[in-house]
Amino acid sequence: MEPFIELQHIIKLKGTRPIIKRVSSIFNGGETTAIMGFSGCGKSLFLKIAAGIVPPDRGTVRFHGENIYDMDPGNIRLFRKGNGFAFQDAALWANKSVFQNLALPLQFHFPELSAAEMNGRIGKILDQSGYRDSPNLRPDQLSMGERKIVSFARAMVTDPDILFLDDPFSSIDHHTIDRILNLLKRKKEEGVSIIAVSHSAELVSKLADRIIIMHDGRIIEQGQVNTILNTTNPLSSEILAKVFTKPEAFDSAILDILGDDDFRL
Amino acid sequence: MITSLGRWFNRKVVAFFYAMGYFFQVLKETIKFIMSRHVGLKVLRMQILFTGVEALGITAILAVSLGAVIIIQGVSLLPQFGQGQLIYTILITVITRELGPLLTAFIIIARSGTAIATELGTMTYSHEVEAYISVGINPIAYLVVPRVLGVTISLLLLNIYFNLFGLIASYFVTQFFTTVQFLEYFRNLLQTLTTSDIFSSLIKSVVFGVIISTIATFYGLHLEQSSTEIPIVVIKAVAHSVVVLLLADVFITLIYYM
């Protein structure tokens, strides 16, 4: 797999205090990476830096070798067109309806789409994501779970090659999680790269190729799922245990990954 | 002591250049916005509606009251000193050149400056601004420029509206108290009014519009982490707008008399 996003020696400061501490990582095309760690360890910020949303104070983020934060407007537009970001708190535009939240990225990147094509595309992705309410509602009329679904649909609506998902399954019911997981599985099979901050055992077991474990603004471990799940690092084990001791984690998929003998978390 | 003074000075210099960088970025995006059809046109229309149209009532009341007070005071006092004709110079100086642009600017700071800083602050806090970046929409082009243009266009039009009400409508109000003939009043007013008065007034309202909107958007987008910062950025936006506005007013007035 070809490396497509490369973060080198990333430092992010809050005032004078570093909150991301000289972090480096490489994301390969078509791969699914799960970023895990305790709350406040810098996972979401790391994801936003990788997605080119928050610039680092030091270090570089390269997309196919080109620094994201130095790209010319044409290339940055192409980069954005090819990726979608679902926010942890949904971050839907409050003054727009659900439909308009999904229509704006389409209008911006695909101005040639007719109204009928746009309606069709938005209706399809909302249905696939499991959104059942009216597309004319405003975000403040939705539950947190519904907002997260719409945020996910907004990330997917432009049919991106890279998906950045920040804790995509929190506040969402299991039925909808299954639906989204199946959709992500299909996208993965089509070659879409997924980088997700998640503590979902299902996402790790069914989709992830790599795991990054963060603690206190640093990456303490990163590698293929099987390698990381057999870690001897006590901190990594503690973080993984929090995920895999949940009852829903004991499904066939995770046991397949670990093997009965290896399941020692 | 010297070290902390040096740090403070360094912070101020960095903040100044950061603000200048922001201003030039807004300027660049504004030129691009004007040159090309943009998805932010709807935001621009809404901004003009909110800043301009919805402020018509209060602007008219203020303009008529001010004009009426000047006419009543002038017509009563000035003839006693043999300076009855000065009323027209006073009207033009106060309404057209000074208080027209300044009072409309204050109305807009109170209504739209605070609203813009609050709205953008809330959007920043709820990561809506980051969401624009994530889909590739430049927040300066989409959120800031339509507001800057909307406020500036509205302030310019409100200033003209203020002048119409302050100079003409106020005349009719004063008819209950004075006996000045309309044609005489209107002819004297036009004779006193010069092109430089009009230009000075219009330039002031454009400059004030740019100042208010740029400062309000700058502070709105400057929110760091917490929702409790929103009132703080609003207060900063208002305070800085008033100070910069008055400095700009003095500067433009000085140029006028040079």
Side-chain angles (χ1 to χ4, degrees):
Chain A
M1 283 187 236
E2 186 202 350
F4 72 106
I5 291 183
E6 200 176 344
L7 292 94
Q8 277 183 325
H9 312 311
I10 298 298
I11 295 175
K12 183 71 188 172
L13 305 170
K14 187 176 185 182
T16 51
R17 189 171 63 92
I19 41 175
I20 298 286
K21 300 167 182 170
R22 216 176 147 76
V23 158
S24 299
S25 191
I26 292 173
F27 298 98
N28 296 316
E31 214 175 48
T32 298
T33 307
I35 304 170
M36 302 162 93
F38 292 128
S39 298
C41 71
K43 307 180 296 287
S44 295
L45 187 57
F46 176 71
L47 189 73
K48 285 176 184 174
I49 291 171
I53 295 173
V54 176
D57 288 298
R58 273 174 226 138
T60 52
V61 184
R62 295 182 187 283
F63 176 66
H64 290 302
E66 195 180 354
N67 190 344
I68 292 176
Y69 295 98
D70 281 341
M71 276 182 180
D72 63 64
N75 282 352
I76 195 80
R77 191 170 175 143
L78 275 178
F79 169 70
R80 300 288 183 210
K81 189 178 181 178
N83 73 56
F85 196 107
F87 287 79
Q88 187 179 23
D89 57 357
L92 298 178
W93 299 307
N95 59 350
K96 297 185 195 304
S97 67
V98 167
F99 181 87
Q100 289 166 333
N101 263 277
L102 270 69
L104 188 63
L106 284 178
Q107 285 166 340
F108 186 71
H109 290 300
F110 304 94
E112 70 281 0
L113 282 184
S114 68
E117 284 171 319
M118 201 179 295
N119 286 349
R121 210 156 153 171
I122 291 170
K124 187 180 166 197
I125 193 66
L126 282 176
D127 184 52
Q128 285 178 335
S129 310
Y131 179 77
R132 294 175 196 88
D133 232 323
S134 163
N136 297 320
L137 294 178
R138 299 250 168 178
D140 57 8
Q141 294 171 292
L142 306 178
S143 70
M144 191 56 203
E146 284 179 309
R147 284 185 219 174
K148 300 256 326 196
I149 294 168
V150 175
S151 179
F152 175 77
R154 183 175 64 185
M156 296 282 290
V157 76
T158 52
D159 212 3
D161 304 320
I162 315 162
L163 265 174
F164 295 93
L165 308 173
D166 192 355
D167 210 356
F169 299 143
S170 63
S171 315
I172 299 180
D173 64 272
H174 279 282
H175 176 72
T176 311
I177 289 176
D178 283 343
R179 226 180 148 110
I180 292 176
L181 271 171
N182 286 334
L183 182 58
L184 287 175
K185 221 170 178 175
R186 281 205 300 279
K187 289 287 164 192
K188 184 180 159 74
E189 283 160 13
E190 288 168 17
V192 171
S193 311
I194 300 166
I195 305 172
V197 167
S198 182
H199 290 115
S200 155
E202 292 100 320
L203 187 136
V204 176
S205 61
K206 290 178 180 164
L207 288 176
D209 302 303
R210 281 178 76 231
I211 292 178
I212 292 177
I213 297 182
M214 291 187 73
H215 182 69
D216 191 25
R218 290 191 174 87
I219 290 180
I220 53 170
E221 260 189 292
Q222 56 182 323
Q224 296 301 308
V225 171
N226 282 325
T227 316
I228 299 295
L229 290 178
N230 288 307
T231 183
T232 50
N233 182 322
L235 200 55
S236 300
S237 299
E238 195 186 338
I239 291 165
L240 290 166
K242 290 269 186 281
V243 173
F244 292 112
T245 50
K246 285 180 190 167
E248 67 268 23
F250 292 92
D251 62 7
S252 57
I254 189 68
L255 293 173
D256 283 348
I257 292 172
L258 294 167
D260 290 346
D261 297 338
D262 290 342
F263 194 72
R264 54 188 169 79
L265 290 168
Chain B
M1 168 73 182
I2 291 172
T3 316
S4 58
L5 200 68
R7 279 200 196 118
W8 174 84
F9 184 73
N10 186 43
R11 273 202 307 274
K12 291 289 167 193
V13 170
V14 170
F16 175 77
F17 281 107
Y18 184 80
M20 282 295 107
Y22 176 80
F23 176 71
F24 286 113
Q25 187 72 20
V26 172
L27 207 64
K28 189 180 102 185
E29 291 299 332
T30 306
I31 294 165
K32 277 162 75 177
F33 186 97
I34 294 165
M35 307 281 274
S36 60
R37 197 175 165 272
H38 202 279
V39 283
L41 275 176
K42 192 185 165 202
V43 185
L44 173 63
R45 278 199 300 273
M46 294 302 291
Q47 192 62 52
I48 292 175
L49 177 76
F50 174 72
T51 308
V53 179
E54 290 184 9
L56 288 176
I58 186 167
T59 306
I61 293 169
L62 211 61
V64 172
S65 314
L66 184 69
V69 166
I70 294 170
I71 294 172
I72 294 166
Q73 294 275 19
V75 168
S76 315
L77 290 172
L78 292 172
Q80 294 175 25
F81 306 100
Q83 300 290 340
Q85 285 299 307
L86 265 183
I87 182 71
Y88 303 105
T89 312
I90 292 172
L91 272 171
I92 298 296
T93 308
V94 173
I95 291 182
T96 307
R97 284 211 319 250
E98 286 304 328
L99 290 187
L102 211 56
L103 284 181
T104 45
F106 283 140
I107 291 170
I108 283 186
I109 289 177
R111 281 176 48 85
S112 306
T114 51
I116 289 171
T118 308
E119 189 188 12
L120 291 187
T122 311
M123 289 177 83
T124 307
Y125 170 68
S126 60
H127 302 122
E128 288 180 49
V129 177
E130 286 180 356
Y132 281 114
I133 297 171
S134 78
V135 298
I137 295 173
N138 180 346
I140 292 192
Y142 187 73
L143 298 174
V144 175
V145 171
R147 283 167 174 80
V148 169
L149 283 175
V151 166
T152 307
I153 293 167
S154 302
L155 189 44
L156 184 71
L157 298 175
L158 273 184
N159 184 27
I160 295 168
Y161 179 82
F162 187 97
N163 272 273
L164 290 175
F165 271 79
L167 297 175
I168 300 167
S170 58
Y171 167 82
F172 295 103
V173 176
T174 58
Q175 283 314 289
F176 297 107
F177 316 101
T178 66
T179 54
V180 184
Q181 292 300 306
F182 180 70
L183 280 178
E184 180 197 346
Y185 171 83
F186 199 60
R187 191 177 55 243
N188 286 332
L189 205 60
L190 285 180
Q191 276 172 357
T192 315
L193 187 69
T194 62
T195 344
S196 60
D197 290 326
I198 298 169
F199 272 116
S200 162
S201 184
L202 296 182
I203 287 168
K204 275 185 183 177
S205 48
V206 169
V207 172
F208 293 171
V210 172
I211 288 171
I212 295 167
S213 51
T214 311
I215 290 177
T217 54
F218 177 78
Y219 279 105
L221 295 175
H222 217 66
L223 194 99
E224 295 281 333
Q225 289 281 318
S226 150
S227 61
T228 53
E229 286 175 50
I230 295 173
I232 298 170
V233 297
V234 173
I235 290 167
K236 279 185 181 171
V238 170
H240 282 89
S241 292
V242 170
V243 171
V244 179
L245 199 88
L246 291 174
L247 288 175
D249 189 33
V250 171
F251 185 69
I252 298 168
T253 307
L254 276 174
I255 290 175
Y256 178 86
Y257 283 109
M258 272 159 83

